[in-house]
Each structure stands twice: as structure tokens, then as C-alpha cells.
Amino acid sequence: MQPQASAAFSAAERQAVYRAIFERRDMRHFAGGVVAPETMRRLLTAAHHAPSVGFMQPWRFLRVADPALRSRLHTLVEAERVQTARALHEREEAFMRLKVEGLNDAAELWVVALAEGREAHVFGRRTLPQMDLASAACAIQNLWLAARAEGLGVGWVSLFDPAAVASLLHMPAGAEPIALLCIGPVHGFYETPMLQQERWAKRCALDDLLFEDAWGQPLGT
């Protein structure tokens, strides 16, 4: 059955969607400033409209408004940055030269966590319990794309001990922080991903990741 023509976005609307996707960046450099409450509400609403397995909606968002609390989170991130560098062995020095977070510079800092009691959600998770994390990642991506459309940068920081962050924020047992989101105005968006600019890694060729019928079997052969 052919899709209804009216279901498709206009050419300009489609272009805007793809522009947000291709120009979204994991930002590490922020320009301070503020994010208007109504704008932040739009970003959170976009996140909350993400798909979730079994409609479980596992995401929770916690705003860090206290400067002292933000500083303590920064200390936890810095501790993990050092540990990560050591674990990289021969790339330790190169990693330590990278800017990997913007906690002290971003206008807003939000912690994204998986809610407690997730084990009660079986629909779609009996064999794949990690789908709670996949669902929350979809929410973060929604927020990220909406932020790009609003001209705001977002940086996903995952360098932290989840147990330490959960304790610091008085999370209930079973809740699990998965992201520190730095959000706010930026001086400019990177033309290409920052880690690619820094020659840490590069984007894989799409065709190398596409298979058909069997793992490793190239698509369309």
C-alpha cells in the first residue's frame, strides 16, 4: 500500500529534520549565558516524546541548579577522566589533552537517569533488559536534535562513577544515572565531530556497516 502523500513532510521540513541530524554535535565548548525556561521545557517535552519499549518511559531528568553541587559533579568527572586515561595506556597523554566536558561552562546541567523499579517492565525486555537504556538514549537524542534546532549545544558526559553520582543526588535504590547533559549557548558548532577534528577517531563508512541475510555479507550482493 502506497503511503498517503499528505503524510510526508514538505521538502523544506524534511531538509530541516536532516539538517538537525547532520549538524548535531557533542559539544564540549560552551559560551555561558542562559537557557530560557520555556525553551528548556520544549527540549524536555521533545525528550519525553521519545519511543520507549513497552511504553515504559524509563527516563528521569534532574536539573543541577546548585553551583556547589555542579562543582562536586565536576570533581567526580575529573576523577574518572584520570582513570579513563590510565586505562587507555599508550593513548593516555593524547586523551588527557582532549576537552571531554563542559560542566563549568554550560548554562544548564541536567542528569539523565533510569528510574527505579524497571524490573517490573517485562514487555519487550524479557530477553533484552537493556532496552530501558536504549529507550532513554532515544529521549536524549530527541532533546539533542531539538536543542540543535533551537541553536543550543548539548554535550553528553559519561565519565563518572554511576554509584557516586546516584549517592550525591540522593537517588533511590535501583535508579541509575547514565548522562550528565551540558546544555546551552555555544560560540559555534564544530564543522565535524570534535573527536574527528582531534584525529581521535573517524566516522566509519556506512557501507562497511550494512549486511544482508548474514553477518558480514555485504548489502545487495
Side-chain angles (χ1 to χ4, degrees):
M1 187 171 75
Q2 293 295 321
Q4 294 181 358
S6 60
F9 290 6
S10 70
E13 290 168 335
R14 290 196 303 272
Q15 184 179 8
V17 171
Y18 285 109
R19 180 185 174 190
I21 292 170
F22 294 135
E23 294 187 13
R24 179 210 60 79
R25 295 288 180 263
D26 192 2
M27 299 301 298
R28 298 297 184 238
H29 300 83
F30 291 85
V34 298
V35 178
E38 60 272 20
T39 302
M40 196 66 234
R41 185 75 179 186
R42 287 197 296 271
L43 302 187
L44 294 168
T45 300
H48 190 47
H49 279 73
S52 62
V53 172
F55 205 39
M56 67 180 297
Q57 304 163 75
W59 45 75
R60 299 293 185 270
F61 296 88
L62 190 157
R63 183 177 186 240
V64 178
D66 182 354
L69 185 57
R70 185 187 289 221
S71 179
R72 293 177 69 183
L73 284 169
H74 183 269
T75 298
L76 292 177
V77 169
E78 181 61 22
E80 178 54 33
R81 185 173 80 98
V82 172
Q83 292 300 316
T84 297
R86 291 172 180 168
L88 289 167
H89 304 298
E90 68 274 9
R91 301 193 78 181
E92 177 177 353
E93 291 187 9
F95 177 79
M96 288 300 290
R97 289 194 294 269
L98 294 175
K99 182 172 175 58
V100 295
E101 51 82 17
L103 268 71
N104 287 332
D105 307 319
E108 293 278 334
L109 178 60
W110 288 75
V111 181
V112 185
L114 299 172
E116 77 280 19
R118 301 187 307 283
E119 64 280 357
H121 294 271
V122 178
F123 186 171
R125 299 182 63 241
R126 192 183 69 82
T127 59
L128 292 170
Q130 66 270 32
M131 294 308 291
D132 56 353
L133 178 59
S135 299
C138 288
I140 292 172
Q141 179 74 335
N142 269 17
L143 184 150
W144 221 331
L145 294 175
R148 181 61 190 88
E150 298 274 4
L152 296 171
V154 176
W156 182 340
V157 179
S158 58
L159 294 171
F160 57 83
D161 178 349
V165 170
S167 176
L168 182 62
L169 300 177
H170 305 290
M171 292 185 182
E176 181 181 357
I178 60 170
L180 305 180
L181 295 185
C182 303
I183 305 171
V186 295
H187 296 291
F189 290 90
Y190 314 135
E191 291 189 8
T192 59
M194 194 197 77
L195 291 182
Q196 182 170 304
Q197 290 183 10
E198 297 292 335
R199 301 189 179 186
W200 181 265
K202 63 180 181 180
R203 192 180 303 281
C204 299
L206 176 60
D207 286 341
D208 292 341
L209 311 178
L210 304 177
F211 307 143
E212 187 169 319
D213 291 334
W215 190 274
Q217 178 72 25
L219 183 67
T221 61

